């Protein structure tokens, strides 16, 4: 079964840049779009990146997404970190049968 | 304002049934395929089901296949999830969401509805 693997947690200081990886277990991660969701405690998820590198309206350009086919991974990069960015982040894509797949989530701590 | 509102959650015994609803407003619901996604207490997000805009294509996670049925009524701007033969492990907050941002580049997720399966 296709799986997406994320680091369990990352931490960085305010103002710095952090990158969260999302590695596909098989096939090519570039075959299907990758989305990234932010979830603050007690709240519903929100989309910060869709279709690999697109931002919904209202998401600051500090958030960016990319695909690296050589490592079969997607990345979410957040620059100019703010304390409000502290949240869980999930990547999501699809398997070869078009069923959705989520990564396990990464807890971002901004300290 | 684009909005999704889930309802229908509650406490149910193992083996029981529930029907979740998701009411859409502020966007052309009939143009978008939809997901159901769930989150067990203290756990990550889990994809549950997909339905295309016309209902012609439907997918389920292996964990719910044969027990859950997704449907939609575009005339009522509503999405449904019929859940049968419920198990303890189905306990979660259930969210509905379109598979992509809606017109105007807007993101929309529901607030979720809680399903608790327990005797």
């Amino acid at each position: 079964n296709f799986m997406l693997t994320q680091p369990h947690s990352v931490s960085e200081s305010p103002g710095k840049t952090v990158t969260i990886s999302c590695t596909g277990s098989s096939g090519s991660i570039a075959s299907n779009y990758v989305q990234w969701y932010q979830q603050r405690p007690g709240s519903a998820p929100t989309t910060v990146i869709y279709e690999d590198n697109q931002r919904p309206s209202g998401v600051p350009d500090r958030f960016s997404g990319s695909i690296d086919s050589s490592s079969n991974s997607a990345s979410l990069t957040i620059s100019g970190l703010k304390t409000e960015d502290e949240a869980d982040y999930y990547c999501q894509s699809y398997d070869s049968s078009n069923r959705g797949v989520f990564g396990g989530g990464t807890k971002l701590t901004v300290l | 304002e684009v909005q999704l509102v889930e309802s229908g959650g509650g406490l149910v015994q193992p083996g029981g049934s529930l029907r979740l609803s998701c009411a859409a407003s502020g966007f052309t619901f009939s143009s978008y395929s939809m997901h159901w996604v769930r989150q067990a207490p203290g756990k990550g997000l889990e994809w549950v089901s997909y339905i295309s805009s016309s209902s012609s294509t439907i997918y389920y996670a292996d964990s719910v296949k044969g027990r859950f049925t997704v449907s939609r009524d575009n005339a009522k701007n509503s999405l449904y999830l019929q859940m049968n033969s419920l198990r303890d492990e189905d306990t979660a907050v259930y969210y509905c969401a379109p598979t992509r941002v809606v017109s105007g580049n807007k993101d929309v997720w529901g607030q979720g509805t809680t399903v608790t399966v327990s005797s």
Side-chain angles (χ1 to χ4, degrees):
Chain A
N1 288 350
F2 181 67
M3 296 173 56
L4 296 171
T5 300
Q6 302 179 231
H8 180 70
S9 62
V10 296
S11 61
E12 190 49 271
S13 302
K16 299 293 189 179
T17 296
V18 70
T19 297
I20 299 172
S21 63
C22 170
T23 302
S25 62
S26 61
S28 171
I29 200 166
S31 298
N32 291 290
Y33 284 129
V34 175
Q35 283 62 236
W36 289 92
Y37 304 103
Q38 177 191 68
Q39 187 178 36
R40 296 189 174 101
S43 297
T46 63
T47 307
V48 292
I49 294 290
Y50 69 96
E51 293 179 0
D52 296 342
N53 55 19
Q54 303 298 303
R55 286 186 308 276
S57 61
V59 175
D61 60 5
R62 302 185 296 105
F63 290 79
S64 63
S66 64
I67 300 293
D68 182 352
S69 296
S70 65
S71 60
N72 207 37
S73 65
S75 294
L76 172 68
T77 298
I78 311 171
S79 59
L81 275 169
K82 300 183 177 184
T83 55
E84 68 205 46
D85 298 331
E86 191 162 287
D88 293 327
Y89 291 86
Y90 296 89
C91 60
Q92 178 264 318
S93 188
Y94 299 90
D95 67 15
S96 58
S97 299
N98 293 312
R99 295 176 300 184
V101 179
F102 279 96
T106 299
K107 181 178 179 61
L108 170 62
T109 301
V110 182
L111 38 64
Chain B
E1 178 191 9
V2 295
Q3 193 173 17
L4 292 168
V5 179
E6 299 97 337
S7 61
L11 174 64
V12 61
Q13 292 187 338
S17 298
L18 275 179
R19 189 194 195 206
L20 306 184
S21 299
C22 168
S25 60
F27 65 100
T28 307
F29 176 74
S30 60
S31 296
Y32 296 90
S33 52
M34 299 290 293
H35 288 305
W36 282 102
V37 173
R38 69 183 180 183
Q39 187 170 35
K43 302 296 184 182
L45 300 175
E46 179 187 12
W47 177 83
V48 173
S49 183
Y50 162 98
I51 184 168
S52 64
S53 59
S54 65
S55 304
S56 60
T57 302
I58 288 173
Y59 302 114
Y60 297 101
D62 287 344
S63 57
V64 307
K65 196 169 186 178
R67 301 186 298 121
F68 289 12
T69 302
V70 63
S71 62
R72 63 191 297 162
D73 184 338
N74 287 339
K76 295 183 177 180
N77 292 328
S78 292
L79 175 72
Y80 306 102
L81 187 68
Q82 177 66 44
M83 304 187 296
N84 299 331
S85 302
L86 283 162
R87 305 167 179 168
D88 291 350
E89 56 264 35
D90 295 319
T91 294
V93 177
Y94 286 73
Y95 299 100
C96 61
T99 60
R100 56 185 172 93
V101 296
V102 300
S103 59
N105 199 32
K106 296 177 182 177
D107 177 46
V108 57
W109 279 72
Q111 84 289 349
T113 188
T114 300
V115 172
T116 303
V117 184
S118 175
S119 54

